[in-house]
Amino acid sequence: MAPSHFSPLSARAALSSSAFHALFKSSSRFSWKSTGKLQQTLAGSIEKTGVGLHSGKVSTVRMRPHLAGGGRCFELQSRFVPASIDHVEESPLCTTLSKDGYRVRTVEHLLSALEATGVDNCRIEVVGLDAGDRDVEVPILDGSAGEWVEAIEGVGLKVAKDACGNSLEKMAPYLDEPVHVWRNDSFVVAFPSSQVHISCGINFPHVPSIGCQWFSASIEYDSFYKREIAPSRTFCVHEEVEKMRSSGLIKGGSLENALVCSVDKGWLNPPLRFNEEPCRHKALDLIGDLSLFARCGSQGLPVGHIVAYKSGHALHAGFLRCLL
């Protein structure tokens, strides 16, 4: 009998081609189509240590190559938590994945970098200072995805092989009809398109230095993501910091890993890397959250024009569930 922490990922990766394609069932709202590319994985291992934004605890992330068809999967004490919408647990101000009592928080920046750079299959071990901790958080680093992208580029990528030594084609979900979700005046809407195009809007009328911003771009090449999106950092309003901390959040937040803006004084730790850096960071978060639509090493980000206004992690998850 297999141990309770046995992962079916290696078995899944050895599926025949016909069985592999059978896993990709389209719906009336989207169709799985080949990207014309083979699935990739890391060419080496990556290790980074840092503090968690919300827990304030130090953790280490170790990323390793994975079998084709295995997808992206977090590992805690030899237990596996797939990076899938099926395992998203609603939590404030971050995206959390959980399975069988094991939980990993603030996965969005790392997943955004993996999705954008084409790391389709990857094992991601997260270890806290307490080796027995079942609730861990991915380090915030500098608040952006830049360090993750640099680390991925440092080891490079290779074509992933399954347990039988075969490569697998990379599939992607193409939107076939408009899809939308909303909550009050926040919404995510997506339209069919031949390429991935993202438009993000935010509105902070009570914070003049942020105000209303929009960022829109076609996400065609990882070099664009690296240059225009990955460096953008998470942000917050200074007057809301104490309230968040009293709620048990942003215990590891600082001027070194987040942009902080005051209602009256403006940005407390300039300069910004982009004029609309807060809005670009929302695009970064959106890519990370939508990557959770991936399955078996596929692309997660739906091919379409996706428009998000005043959206957050919960609404992004709601959008993916609507697609399903």
Side-chain angles (χ1 to χ4, degrees):
M1 179 179 294
S4 60
H5 60 270
F6 171 74
S7 170
L9 298 180
S10 58
R12 181 190 300 166
L15 291 171
S16 67
S17 177
S18 59
F20 173 74
H21 283 91
L23 292 172
F24 294 90
K25 295 181 179 179
S26 301
S27 74
S28 61
R29 293 178 168 174
F30 72 95
S31 302
W32 289 103
K33 300 178 183 179
S34 174
T35 64
K37 302 176 183 178
L38 295 176
Q39 292 184 19
Q40 299 183 108
T41 188
L42 296 171
S45 297
I46 294 171
E47 180 172 319
K48 293 193 79 68
T49 298
V51 66
L53 174 63
H54 296 298
S55 66
K57 297 179 179 179
V58 173
S59 66
T60 296
V61 170
R62 301 186 183 100
M63 294 190 286
R64 302 182 177 90
H66 197 18
L67 296 170
R72 295 181 285 257
C73 189
F74 288 89
E75 183 178 348
L76 287 74
Q77 301 178 45
S78 299
R79 267 68 174 183
F80 295 90
V81 183
S84 165
I85 183 60
D86 297 331
H87 299 288
V88 172
E89 175 183 288
E90 187 164 345
S91 58
L93 301 181
C94 71
T95 296
T96 298
L97 299 171
S98 66
K99 182 182 179 183
D100 300 331
Y102 291 84
R103 180 179 295 105
V104 55
R105 293 196 282 171
T106 319
V107 300
E108 57 269 20
H109 299 173
L110 172 54
L111 290 179
S112 183
L114 293 171
E115 176 78 8
T117 56
V119 183
D120 309 308
N121 305 280
C122 182
R123 290 177 63 167
I124 311 161
E125 182 184 12
V126 186
V127 181
L129 289 179
D130 180 358
D133 199 346
R134 294 189 175 197
D135 189 332
V136 296
E137 185 175 16
V138 174
I140 190 64
L141 302 180
D142 75 340
S144 76
E147 291 187 40
W148 295 119
V149 171
E150 290 176 4
I152 292 166
E153 288 191 337
V155 299
L157 305 182
K158 65 180 181 180
V159 173
K161 304 288 186 178
D162 66 15
C164 296
N166 302 313
S167 57
L168 295 174
E169 66 180 319
K170 182 175 180 176
M171 308 292 284
Y174 282 72
L175 290 173
D176 293 325
E177 64 178 37
V179 179
H180 69 279
V181 293
W182 75 94
R183 181 177 298 168
N184 300 322
D185 62 342
S186 305
F187 64 81
V188 178
V189 59
F191 305 93
S193 174
S194 60
Q195 62 184 6
V196 177
H197 192 100
I198 287 179
S199 299
C200 286
I202 60 175
N203 191 13
F204 288 76
H206 62 297
V207 189
S209 292
I210 301 179
C212 184
Q213 302 180 6
W214 279 93
F215 173 76
S216 185
S218 294
I219 313 298
E220 297 184 68
Y221 306 105
D222 56 4
S223 59
F224 177 87
Y225 175 89
K226 174 187 176 181
R227 184 179 68 253
E228 304 292 339
I229 296 177
S232 57
R233 295 160 291 178
T234 192
F235 67 97
C236 69
V237 177
H238 179 257
E239 286 76 9
E240 298 174 358
V241 167
E242 287 307 316
K243 180 179 179 181
M244 288 189 286
R245 283 185 170 161
S246 64
S247 298
L249 301 171
I250 65 167
K251 294 178 180 178
S254 72
L255 295 176
E256 283 69 50
N257 57 33
L259 288 169
V260 182
C261 191
S262 168
V263 172
D264 299 320
K265 300 177 181 178
W267 294 105
L268 302 184
N269 52 341
L272 271 65
R273 294 172 178 171
F274 309 97
N275 289 334
E276 69 285 78
E277 185 171 354
C279 197
R280 291 184 187 228
H281 185 79
K282 288 294 186 179
L284 186 159
D285 280 347
L286 179 65
I287 292 169
D289 288 343
L290 297 191
S291 76
L292 294 167
F293 201 65
R295 62 180 66 181
C296 305
S298 75
Q299 176 174 310
L301 192 59
V303 179
H305 186 174
I306 304 164
V307 184
Y309 177 68
K310 296 177 64 175
S311 62
H313 302 296
L315 202 59
H316 298 163
F319 171 78
L320 293 183
R321 293 189 179 104
C322 184
L323 270 184
L324 291 172

